[in-house]
Amino acid sequence: MTQLLPFILILALGILLVPSQTFAQDQQDKKVIQLSGIILNADSTDAVPGVNIYVPKKGRGTSSGRFGYFSMPVLEGDSVVFSFIGLKKQTFKVPDKVEKDRINLILTMEVDEIALAEIEVMPYPTEEEFKQAIIAMNVVDPMAISRANMSPEMLLRWAESMPASGGENFRYFQQGQMLQNQDLYGPRPLRILDPFAWSQFIRSIKRGDLKSNN
C-alpha cells in the first residue's frame, strides 16, 4: 500500500488538472470581442449614466459614462448583464461565432415599476382621539413669524450687524479717492459757508419741508 501511494497521488493530481486545462483551452479558443454601445431610457432619448455592466462569475465589468456610453472586452458566448436601480435588468448574449471583433449596441432600459398595496397609517387608536389631538394642537402661524422677521426694527438690527457689501466698499473707496484728489488742490469746501446751500435751506423752510408729520 505504501508503494502505491505515489501513483495514487499522481493520478488524483492528473484528474484535477484535466478540467482546468480543458477550460483554459476553451477560453483560448474563444475570440475577444470589444462590446460598445449607448444606453438610453425607454421613455425618451435621454442617456442613462452609471449603469452596471458585467459578466457574472468572470470578474469583468464596467459602467456607462455621463452620456450613457460604455465599452468593455468580452468573449464569444458571454452573457452580459445590464443593471440599474429603478430599471429592469437586461441580459445580452454574445454570439458564439462573431465574424468581426467589435459589436455595437443601442440598449433601451425600461422603468421597473413595483406596485405596493395601500397602507393606512393611523398614529392614534381611534379616529375620535385623532380629531381631539388635532383640535388641541397649538399651531403657530408661519406668516406671523415672517412678519416679525421682516419688521423695520429687525431689518435695521440685521443691517447694522452685517458687514459691508462689495458695492458699498467700492463706493467708500471711490469717495476716499475723490476727497484725496480735492485735498491736493486746496481745503475742502464747508457747506455752512456756501450761499447757495443757505438759499436752498431758506426755501425749504418756507415750503414747510422741515415740519413734523405729527
Side-chain angles (χ1 to χ4, degrees):
M1 186 65 182
T2 305
Q3 296 177 353
L4 295 178
L5 183 60
F7 297 99
I8 295 174
L9 294 176
I10 294 174
L11 180 61
L13 183 61
I15 295 173
L16 294 176
L17 290 178
V18 168
S20 61
Q21 291 177 354
T22 304
F23 177 76
Q25 183 67 28
D26 293 340
Q27 293 291 94
Q28 292 177 358
D29 293 340
K30 293 182 179 180
K31 184 168 55 176
V32 178
I33 308 298
Q34 190 68 26
L35 181 64
S36 305
I38 297 177
I39 303 176
L40 303 175
N41 194 324
D43 297 336
S44 63
T45 57
D46 295 336
V48 184
V51 177
N52 296 316
I53 308 163
Y54 60 94
V55 179
K57 299 181 181 180
K58 294 293 183 65
R60 300 192 305 271
T62 184
S63 60
S64 59
R66 177 182 176 185
F67 301 103
Y69 177 79
F70 72 93
S71 182
M72 63 175 292
V74 296
L75 296 178
E76 293 177 334
D78 280 349
S79 295
V80 185
V81 179
F82 299 81
S83 65
F84 188 81
I85 297 176
L87 300 178
K88 293 183 180 180
K89 182 183 295 185
Q90 295 193 31
T91 303
F92 174 76
K93 179 71 164 55
V94 180
D96 294 330
K97 295 297 182 180
V98 181
E99 296 180 358
K100 298 181 179 180
D101 58 353
R102 177 178 296 273
I103 296 177
N104 296 320
L105 291 179
I106 297 180
L107 186 71
T108 57
M109 302 188 69
E110 299 180 355
V111 177
D112 189 8
E113 298 180 355
I114 301 176
L116 300 177
E118 182 180 359
I119 300 176
E120 185 177 359
V121 180
M122 294 293 294
Y124 295 91
T126 62
E127 185 177 353
E128 185 63 27
E129 293 184 9
F130 175 70
K131 291 180 180 179
Q132 293 178 1
I134 293 297
I135 295 173
M137 185 179 297
N138 184 16
V139 180
V140 179
D141 184 10
M143 294 303 298
I145 300 176
S146 299
R147 286 192 293 269
N149 291 335
M150 296 300 293
S151 63
E153 294 81 5
M154 183 63 68
L155 294 177
L156 180 61
R157 185 182 303 175
W158 287 348
E160 292 175 350
S161 60
M162 292 179 63
S165 63
E168 292 174 340
N169 289 329
F170 180 74
R171 185 169 62 253
Y172 295 151
F173 174 77
Q174 291 290 90
Q175 291 177 355
Q177 291 291 104
M178 183 179 63
L179 293 177
Q180 290 181 4
N181 293 333
Q182 290 179 357
D183 292 341
L184 294 176
Y185 301 100
R188 300 180 184 179
L190 297 176
R191 297 290 292 173
I192 194 172
L193 301 179
D194 188 356
F196 297 101
W198 276 102
S199 176
Q200 294 177 0
F201 177 67
I202 294 172
R203 284 199 297 269
S204 64
I205 292 176
K206 291 181 179 180
R207 290 195 304 265
D209 298 341
L210 302 181
K211 292 181 179 180
S212 174
N213 295 328
N214 299 328

